[in-house]
Structures are given as C-alpha cells and as structure tokens.
C-alpha cells in the first residue's frame, strides 16, 4: 500500500506502522464498545499453537460464538512473538496485554501440551471438537550441513532466542559469527551483543542489496557494532581441543538460478575468520514429528499442504496456517488465522 500511496507524489507515503502504533497506544479499551460476539453456536474448535495464527483464529472463532480451546507446547502463550522476537523490540508486557484481551473472551488455554506427545488428533476428535486448526509455527532453526556444524559451540539461532526469552542464562564467548542475512539473523546478532559477546559478525550468501533483512534493521545492527559480511557462506568450522577457534567462509557469487530458485554458486575464494562461537540463523523449520509417515495429512519440503482457499488439509475438519504452511512475517500468520 505504501509503495503506491498517492501521498508519495507530494512528499512521503502514509506510514501504516505509525498509524497502527498511534491507535494501539491511545485506544484504552475503546474498541471493545463496538465489539460484538454472536450467540453460542454449540460448536467447538481446538487450536494447536498459541502463536499469532492460532490466537487470531481463536479470537474470530470465539466472536462467532464457537467454543475454543488452545493447546500450546510452551509455558506461556505467544509463540514467535514471545520466544522469537527479542524483548528489546517487543516487550513481554505488551504481548501479555494483547493475549489477555483475546483470552478474556472465554477461550480455554492449555499450556505445556505438545501435539503427538501429550495429545493426538484422534483424542481431540473423540473429545468432541468439530474442527482443528494447526498453528504451531516453525520453532526450529534450519540446519546447514558443513564440516564441524555439530560441535557444541555451534547453536541454532531460534533456539538461542527462545532460551533467552525463557530466562535461561546463555553464556556466549568473545567472538561470535551469525550465519544468515534475514531479520532473525539481525535479532540474533544484536541479542548476542547485549549478552556480552565482544565482537559479532553476520555472514550471509546474499550480496548487500539482496539481503532479506529490513534495511532499517541492518542499519541498526551496524550502528551497534555488528560487522556485516555479505556474499559469504559457511565452509567449515575449525576446532582445537573441542573448542571453536576459526571458521572458513567461501565466496558466494550467485544465490538464485535463472528460474528464481535457491541454488547458490560459489567461487574458489575462501576467507578464514577467527571466531569462538557460531550461531546458525539461516531459516526456520517446523517440527512435523507428530505426523505419521504415510498418514492422511500431507507435507512437502517440511511444510503442511493445505487448500490455498480454505486452508483445510487433506483431512476434513483439520486446517493449518502460518509458518507451518507458508513461512512469512507475523502479519502473514495473523492473516492466515483470520
């Protein structure tokens, strides 16, 4: 919308983020006066995952008069908003306030409940739920295969952020390299600085103009001292007595092929950088261990397959949305939940 805003012909496009911030900071509960909830429908829905998509689906289902229960594997609801975005960007009290507004509509929240371990689809259906919505997100870091990728001082970026958000003490060494060029990599790099790392580098396959992170996020990272290393990919981790001492990077000359598919090409040029710790933040992966091999719910390339119009899976009454079907921004997950 901002890209084609006619106001931009005069000076600048209308700032949607600023409008939303103004409305959120100043509303003081006034939206509730115009909010309506339909009469009890006699139907009930199970939501698996209390992240952006699951909470949104629960909110709109409840407004239609359906009974809603949310099952979440975490200790507290919020998903990516709580465990994937650093608190300096999204304070926990804001997340708590927004979620309370949703739960106050009479939604039943059940935490520490993991699908496939604490309950199954069959149990939900036998308990009388008329439909199930899967919004479990992509809670794991995508693993990149290279020499030395499994040593102790190589960790996943998603897991790092989740441990920090959970209040765990994460000890970082002096020199850290973050592999990845997206917004998650930026969050990891800036969080690592805040956790005491002396020097933090970000190495990614993309050139500076192709990096998927927001430009303002990259500028903020550089301003805080993060060294950006575009067009470099991981080759191998060098260890001594089990400890990371350095890392070889290889120059990436092309990330995508002519069809726009991810197909990186590398040159013979390599560079060795001295580092103590490596954090992988080059993508997310969903945990689909709850799916039976050959079962009725189909997945492809680590994502659940759904009807693009209805978000229904191959099993009638079971739907899915958010990062588990199409990774994207939080607002994309919210749109899927709605």
């Amino acid at each position: 919308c901002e890209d084609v805003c006619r106001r931009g012909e005069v000076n600048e496009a209308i700032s949607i983020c600023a409008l939303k911030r103004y409305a959120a900071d100043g509303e003081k509960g006034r939206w509730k006066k115009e909010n309506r909830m339909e009469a009890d429908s006699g139907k009930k829905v199970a939501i698996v995952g209390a992240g952006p998509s699951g909470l949104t689906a629960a909110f709109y289902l409840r407004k239609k008069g359906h009974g809603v229960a949310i099952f979440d594997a975490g200790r507290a609801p919020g998903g990516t908003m709580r465990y994937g975005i650093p608190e300096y960007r999204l304070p926990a009290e804001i997340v708590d306030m927004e979620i309370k507004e949703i739960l106050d509509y009479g939604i039943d929240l059940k935490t520490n409940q993991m699908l496939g371990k604490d309950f199954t689809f069959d149990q939900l259906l036998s308990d009388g739920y008329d439909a199930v919505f899967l919004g479990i997100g992509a809670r794991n870091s995508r693993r990149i295969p290279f020499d030395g990728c499994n040593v102790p001082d190589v960790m996943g970026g998603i897991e790092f952020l989740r441990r920090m958000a959970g209040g765990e003490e994460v000890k970082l060494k002096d020199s850290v390299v973050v592999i990845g060029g997206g917004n998650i990599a930026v969050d990891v790099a800036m969080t690592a600085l805040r956790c005491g790392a002396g020097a933090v580098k970000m190495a990614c396959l993309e050139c500076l103009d192709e990096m998927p992170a927001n430009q303002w996020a990259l500028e903020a990272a550089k301003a805080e001292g993060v060294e950006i290393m575009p067009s470099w990919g991981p080759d191998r981790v060098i260890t001594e007595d089990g400890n990371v001492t350095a890392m070889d990077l290889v120059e990436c000359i092309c990330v995508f092929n002519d069809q726009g598919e991810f197909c990186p090409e590398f040159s013979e040029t390599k560079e060795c950088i001295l580092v103590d710790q490596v954090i992988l933040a080059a993508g997310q992966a969903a945990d689909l261990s709850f799916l039976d091999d050959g079962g009725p719910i189909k997945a492809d390339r680590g994502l659940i397959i759904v009807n693009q119009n209805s978000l229904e899976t191959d099993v009638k009454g079971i739907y899915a949305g958010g990062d588990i079907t199409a990774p994207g921004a939080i607002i994309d997950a919210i749109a899927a939940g709605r």
Side-chain angles (χ1 to χ4, degrees), residues 3-22:
D3 289 341
V4 295
C5 182
R6 291 183 62 189
R7 182 69 194 179
E9 298 175 10
V10 180
N11 41 40
E12 294 180 341
I14 298 296
S15 175
I16 296 173
C17 284
L19 289 177
K20 288 182 176 180
R21 176 66 183 266
Y22 181 83

Side-chain angles (χ1 to χ4, degrees), residues 229-279:
M229 300 183 66
S231 300
W232 291 100
D235 184 52
R236 70 176 180 129
V237 169
I238 302 169
T239 61
E240 185 176 316
D241 298 328
N243 297 314
V244 174
T245 58
M247 185 173 194
D248 280 343
L249 301 175
V250 59
E251 184 184 31
C252 180
I253 57 176
C254 182
V255 180
F256 303 98
N257 62 20
D258 293 338
Q259 288 72 44
E261 300 168 330
F262 181 74
C263 185
E265 294 182 24
F266 301 94
S267 73
E268 297 297 321
T269 304
K270 294 185 179 182
E271 180 175 339
C272 183
I273 58 175
L274 300 178
V275 295
D276 305 313
Q277 211 157 26
V278 180
I279 305 180

Side-chain angles (χ1 to χ4, degrees), residues 13 26 40 83 88 130 146 171 173 181 189 205 214 235 241 278 284 287 301 307 314 337:
D40 188 0
Y83 295 108
Y88 70 87
D130 298 283
F146 56 85
K171 292 184 178 180
K173 297 189 175 181
L205 299 178
N214 293 327
D235 184 52
D241 298 328
V278 180
Q284 301 166 255
D287 180 2
R301 299 181 183 181
N307 180 301
D314 286 343

Side-chain angles (χ1 to χ4, degrees), residues 37 62 66-69 100-109:
M37 189 166 69
R62 189 72 191 104
H66 308 313
V68 181
K100 183 178 183 301
E101 298 277 12
I102 295 173
L103 298 181
D104 282 350
Y105 275 83
I107 294 167
D108 185 16
L109 173 66

Side-chain angles (χ1 to χ4, degrees), residues 24-25 31 50-53 55-56 70 72 75-104 109 165 330 334:
D25 284 349
W31 64 275
S53 63
L55 288 166
T56 304
I70 305 177
D72 192 80
R75 290 178 297 173
T80 297
M81 296 179 294
R82 183 181 302 277
Y83 295 108
I85 299 179
E87 190 163 347
Y88 70 87
R89 283 218 293 129
L90 183 58
E93 61 266 24
I94 299 296
V95 175
D96 290 334
M97 180 183 70
E98 294 284 332
I99 293 175
K100 183 178 183 301
E101 298 277 12
I102 295 173
L103 298 181
D104 282 350
L109 173 66
I330 283 181
I334 290 172

